[in-house]
Amino acid sequence: MILESFDRRTLANMEAALERICDARPDGADHELRSLIADSIVACARKGQTSIGALTEAGEAALARRAISDRKQA
């Protein structure tokens, strides 16, 4: 479980990064979008990159990859 994998500071940074990214988007409440971003944030934290900046960058990178994928499918 995620709560058992990380310390409180890392969990707080993860949540803040997710909210920072989603709050800036009109579709930020979409569950599928939030899940995509969260998965990327968790993967970043598991690699030991736990600063809010690194976690935010990881989430934003997931969005960029999704946008590229969406354009290729269109």
Side-chain angles (χ1 to χ4, degrees), residues 30-73:
D30 178 72
H31 176 73
E32 189 175 318
L33 177 71
R34 290 178 69 87
S35 180
L36 172 81
I37 296 166
D39 288 346
S40 184
I41 288 171
V42 169
C44 180
R46 285 195 173 130
K47 293 177 186 173
Q49 299 174 346
T50 60
S51 72
I52 194 163
L55 297 168
T56 301
E57 285 179 26
E60 290 171 344
L63 287 175
R65 288 189 301 272
R66 180 180 181 219
I68 290 168
S69 176
D70 288 350
R71 280 187 290 225
K72 287 181 180 178
Q73 292 178 0

Side-chain angles (χ1 to χ4, degrees), residues 2-18 38 41-56:
I2 291 175
L3 292 175
E4 297 166 353
S5 300
F6 303 106
D7 61 39
R8 286 197 291 176
R9 172 177 258 165
T10 299
L11 289 169
N13 285 348
M14 292 166 72
E15 183 175 354
L18 178 64
I41 288 171
V42 169
C44 180
R46 285 195 173 130
K47 293 177 186 173
Q49 299 174 346
T50 60
S51 72
I52 194 163
L55 297 168
T56 301

